[in-house]
Amino acid sequence: MIEITDKSKCCGCSSCVQRCPKQCISMREDEQGFLYPIIDTLKCIDCSLCEKVCPMLNPSLAKEPLQVFAAKNKNEEQRLRSSSGGMFILLAQYIIKQGGVVFGARFDQKWEVEHCYAETIEELEPLMRSKYVQSNIGNTYKEAEQFLKQGRSVMFVGTSCQIAGLKRFLRKEYNNLLAIDFICHGVPSPGIWRKYLEEIKFSLSEAAGKNSVLSFSLKPMPVITGINFREKQNGGYGWKKFGFEVRIKLPSEGDKNSVLKSDIFYENIFMRGFLSNLYLRPSCYRCTAKNGASGSDLTIADFWGIQDYHPEFDDDKGTSLVFVHTDKGKSVIERLKTKIDVLESNMSEAIESNPSYTRSVSIPEKYSLFWKTFIKSESVFISVMATMKLSIKDRIKRKVKNRFAKVIKSDLNKY
Ligand SMILES: Cc1cc2nc3c(=O)[nH]c(=O)nc-3n(C[C@H](O)[C@H](O)[C@H](O)COP(=O)(O)OP(=O)(O)OC[C@H]3O[C@@H](n4cnc5c(N)ncnc54)[C@H](O)[C@@H]3O)c2cc1C
Ligand code: SF4
Ligand code: SF4
Ligand code: SF4
């Protein structure tokens, strides 16, 4: 029976939950906002299936890829709407046109991130683009297994540990499965993301309604209408300096008043905390699924550094990096070659600017300070700013407005 005594040894894939024949495992959120399995020992029959399907208890060996290349989806409109070079949408459309099913991550109604599947081209849109939050995998391994057993083509995209979890869960190879992971820096906490969204709704409503005489508790809550972690076009950020964008509608002001919060990624509080590794899942600091060990057919990523190696290939609209691990992956790419601009590459070019392919990030020095501050302040803004010691000038630049800004300023003195 699974027992989590060291949180860094559970990636939260839910393979154990979905395989348990007694349905006696459920996932529960911890104080850092990550899900972990909890077992109802009264119902458990000690069959050990949960241990057999756990990818962290049964890690696979690293594997050299068959091929590494840079790629750009020739459909520029699709590429601009994608995070990198638009490989996901190209592969996904191909599978749907074969009558297949595509699994990936989308925002749910509360703007939290969940895994789901698409059976039509239209249903692919919400799956596009990176969401830098751990997705809730739900029952998608079971759903994928059902489709596979029916003989339908299934493409499953996820973090490397989600793909490793899927492969352990299935316990056999399926010719009709195309498993795709991406180079994974690590996943931020869904609990931190939820709190961050509350805080930006609050600060944006304060900023927009500064002349209102209503107190905050009487004001209608603003509604989020869109989020894009990888905005390339609005604001003219481009691919390398992508923008983080949130759209909010203020109910009192009708459709006209859609507030846009948009920052270059390194100036956004949530992205700064993410990229400084302050709130990644504990397993991300000791990842066992990197370097081809997930069992995926293809790994897709950003080809960071392409401008140095092959400047003629870079137009700042997005270039993908693709690792081919299996013959199955190779043959799908062959079939799509007329739709992709391809440039052969190699491992040293690929990983020099993208070390997360081979190694986990380190726990930052200020990790404990962040969590101590967060537990005390219950604020992502305060905790990231206090941890990173942002200057007053930085704070003003980030436009944390009015009353909210004052609260933060006075609270900061406490930490
Ligand atoms: C948490 C995270 C960390 C990443 N770290 C790196 C990195 O260090 N280096 C790098 O080069 N690339 C990284 N990527 C991958 C990169 O951001 C792009 O997702 C990838 O290059 C694919 O881009 P695309 O243009 O082909 O397709 P896109 O249209 O951008 O497709 C993205 C695909 O990823 C899936 N997806 C999105 N969010 C999640 C999520 N939270 N969990 C599981 N699946 C998700 C979508 O469903 C879709 O299938 C990361 C992605 C995520 C989500
Ligand atoms: S040992 Fe078997 S019954 Fe018990 S929790 Fe694990 S899978 Fe479920
Ligand atoms: S890594 Fe996955 S299978 Fe293993 S204990 Fe955690 S949730 Fe269960
Ligand atoms: S870094 Fe590893 S453990 Fe963390 S989400 Fe990515 S693949 Fe999973």
Side-chain angles (χ1 to χ4, degrees), residues 8-44:
S8 72
K9 293 189 175 153
C10 172
C11 65
C13 68
S14 296
S15 177
C16 54
V17 179
Q18 298 183 67
R19 192 44 89 199
C20 173
K22 289 296 183 188
Q23 285 93 49
C24 60
I25 317 181
S26 53
M27 296 296 271
R28 191 178 300 162
E29 194 170 297
D30 75 348
E31 64 290 349
Q32 288 189 317
F34 293 107
L35 293 173
Y36 290 92
I38 307 281
I39 296 179
D40 179 347
T41 47
L42 290 176
K43 284 196 200 158
C44 172

Side-chain angles (χ1 to χ4, degrees), residues 71 73 78-92 102-107 113-116 124-137 155-160 162 180-188 229-230 232 239 242 274-275 280 290 299-304 317-323 350 353-357 361:
N73 181 339
Q78 285 183 349
R79 187 155 62 101
L80 283 166
R81 286 192 298 114
S82 303
S83 305
S84 312
M87 287 305 286
F88 162 72
I89 189 66
L90 204 55
L91 291 154
V102 173
F103 287 77
R106 70 171 173 202
F107 290 112
V113 183
E114 64 176 13
H115 251 70
C116 67
L124 288 177
E125 173 61 31
L127 272 58
M128 289 180 76
R129 292 171 294 282
S130 303
K131 291 98 187 166
Y132 294 122
V133 181
Q134 181 163 36
S135 75
N136 185 339
I137 206 90
M155 169 170 147
F156 199 108
V157 185
T159 61
S160 304
Q162 287 172 335
I180 303 182
D181 62 354
F182 39 80
I183 295 187
C184 185
H185 179 89
V187 281
F229 280 91
R230 297 288 300 253
K232 297 174 181 171
W239 165 55
F242 55 88
F274 163 40
L275 294 170
L280 302 182
K290 292 188 180 294
T299 300
I300 53 178
D302 288 286
F303 203 135
W304 300 131
K317 291 177 183 166
T319 299
S320 287
L321 169 62
V322 181
F323 299 81
S353 305
N354 222 332
S356 293
Y357 183 74
V361 296

Side-chain angles (χ1 to χ4, degrees), residues 1-2 20-22 24-25 39 44-50:
M1 169 176 74
I2 286 278
C20 173
K22 289 296 183 188
C24 60
I25 317 181
I39 296 179
C44 172
I45 53 169
D46 262 327
C47 67
S48 312
L49 263 179
C50 48

Side-chain angles (χ1 to χ4, degrees), residues 228-246:
N228 188 353
F229 280 91
R230 297 288 300 253
E231 179 55 53
K232 297 174 181 171
Q233 295 178 87
N234 292 334
Y237 298 117
W239 165 55
K240 296 185 207 79
K241 290 186 187 163
F242 55 88
F244 172 88
E245 188 183 276
V246 180

